[in-house]
Amino acid sequence: MQIVSENIDLTAALEPWRLAGQTVALVPTMGALHAGHMALIDAARSKADRVVATIFVNPRQFGDGEDLARYPRREREDAALLEAHCCDLLWRPTIEQIYPPGFATTVSVAGVSERWDGAARPGHFDGVATVVAKLFAAVRPDMALFGEKDFQQLAVIRRMEADLGLGIVIHGVETVRDGDGLALSSRNAYLSEDERRRAVALVKVLKQARASILEGAPVNGTLGEAKRQLRAEGFGRIDYLALVDAATLEPVDGPTAEMRLIAAATIGTTRLIDNIRVAEATV
Ligand code: PAF
């Protein structure tokens, strides 16, 4: 696996693949890689001739008082994992490569960015869309892969790609979970043993709520009960717990073609997000 930092080295690494007509899949990450990221790399490997991963902890998607300073950084371990999963190229841009002096552009995706994490973390999706647009422009991949755990992020990126006509196929990859069901996340590293034990309540209450909704229970009452259960399990702030249309992320209170239950809640000082599909299939 080649590892590059400067844009000029990235271009030089990509050039022979382009000349040979090979397809390129991009997996953008912020590092602290885990099995969820490796599922993205493996899916990319199965779909494209070449796999490019990026690691860039993007300051523009963190709000004031969020965890930018303590976000886990494990460069050596990350590179070893990517190598073991046959990634071809790792691009670790410096801050200047992404945001050169005088950088003044923000990519802002209206509508789908606005509710949920968009409301709880003002500016977050502008930061995500802007950095992903930069990564897309530099790598010009045929496809890019993102985890379904960040379901709203995936919807924002799909919207941006379609609106800008970038010609990049966006693939969502199913959330990878620990044995007890907790969705893998780099932020799980912040959890104490006790918090980690309780954290699994997030997916459990989502599954219970799904079962109730599919049995015909009223949506509002079911969501209220799910929040009550989360609090009983030791969760503090619940930013949202909602039933939404999977495409628009608008709230729904009855059956639509494809629905998703989405939630963000804090345990201790760690904010966790998760979502599950509301259909016959189970997660
Ligand atoms: O999901 C992430 O890790 C980040 O939001 C992303 C897509 C790499 C942009 O910084």
Side-chain angles (χ1 to χ4, degrees), residues 28-30 37 56 58 61 128 131-132 135 146 150 153 157:
T29 82
M30 297 205 300
H37 296 109
F56 179 68
N58 173 34
Q61 69 187 75
V128 170
V131 78
V132 171
L135 300 173
F146 298 87
D150 297 288
Q153 167 173 283
I157 291 166

Side-chain angles (χ1 to χ4, degrees), residues 123-174:
H124 170 67
F125 286 122
D126 285 359
V128 170
T130 303
V131 78
V132 171
K134 290 268 342 196
L135 300 173
F136 282 178
V139 177
R140 289 186 285 124
D142 298 279
M143 66 191 83
L145 294 89
F146 298 87
E148 284 189 347
K149 187 178 85 60
D150 297 288
F151 199 74
Q152 190 176 8
Q153 167 173 283
L154 180 57
V156 169
I157 291 166
R158 283 193 199 284
R159 183 78 262 163
M160 176 185 79
E161 191 287 328
D163 289 354
L164 299 181
L166 300 175
I168 298 169
V169 179
I170 307 296
H171 293 286
V173 175
E174 213 174 298

Side-chain angles (χ1 to χ4, degrees), residues 12-273:
L14 292 167
E15 191 64 10
W17 302 342
R18 291 221 172 87
L19 289 175
Q22 294 180 324
T23 53
V24 173
L26 175 67
V27 179
T29 82
M30 297 205 300
L33 303 179
H34 51 65
H37 296 109
M38 291 310 113
L40 300 178
I41 297 291
D42 294 345
R45 189 70 281 162
S46 72
K47 291 176 193 302
D49 297 318
R50 296 290 181 175
V51 177
V52 179
T54 63
I55 295 180
F56 179 68
V57 182
N58 173 34
R60 290 188 182 226
Q61 69 187 75
F62 291 79
D64 291 343
E66 290 190 351
D67 56 341
L68 174 61
R70 70 166 179 152
Y71 197 83
R73 285 155 169 91
R74 298 197 286 261
E75 291 192 356
R76 205 154 351 116
E77 293 92 324
D78 286 350
L81 264 179
L82 290 168
E83 176 107 58
H85 284 254
C86 304
C87 179
D88 294 293
L89 175 64
L90 168 58
W91 181 32
R92 286 191 303 218
T94 59
I95 188 94
E96 293 78 19
Q97 303 290 307
I98 300 292
Y99 302 121
F103 187 87
T105 298
T106 298
V107 179
S108 192
V109 181
V112 73
S113 284
E114 286 162 20
R115 289 184 190 266
W116 320 124
D117 277 318
R121 305 179 65 190
H124 170 67
F125 286 122
D126 285 359
V128 170
T130 303
V131 78
V132 171
K134 290 268 342 196
L135 300 173
F136 282 178
V139 177
R140 289 186 285 124
D142 298 279
M143 66 191 83
L145 294 89
F146 298 87
E148 284 189 347
K149 187 178 85 60
D150 297 288
F151 199 74
Q152 190 176 8
Q153 167 173 283
L154 180 57
V156 169
I157 291 166
R158 283 193 199 284
R159 183 78 262 163
M160 176 185 79
E161 191 287 328
D163 289 354
L164 299 181
L166 300 175
I168 298 169
V169 179
I170 307 296
H171 293 286
V173 175
E174 213 174 298
T175 303
V176 178
R177 297 176 182 279
D178 264 340
D180 63 356
L182 180 71
L184 295 191
S185 162
S186 306
R187 290 189 167 99
N188 292 353
Y190 302 152
L191 298 171
S192 69
E193 226 173 273
D194 180 53
E195 289 163 354
R196 170 64 190 82
R197 208 169 28 77
R198 290 163 179 271
V200 72
L202 188 56
V203 67
K204 283 198 172 144
V205 303
L206 289 178
K207 284 183 177 178
Q208 281 161 11
R210 172 173 62 190
S212 300
I213 289 166
L214 291 176
E215 279 163 16
V219 171
N220 277 344
T222 303
L223 298 178
E225 173 57 19
K227 287 182 190 168
R228 198 196 57 72
Q229 283 173 19
L230 269 188
R231 290 204 181 90
E233 287 293 338
F235 277 80
R237 202 181 69 235
I238 300 174
D239 285 336
Y240 57 83
L241 195 160
L243 180 69
V244 300
D245 179 283
T248 62
L249 270 87
E250 288 298 307
V252 291
D253 58 9
T256 62
E258 168 115 26
M259 297 174 288
R260 210 90 193 179
L261 268 165
I262 59 171
T266 299
I267 187 155
T269 56
T270 306
R271 184 176 184 275
L272 299 177
I273 62 171

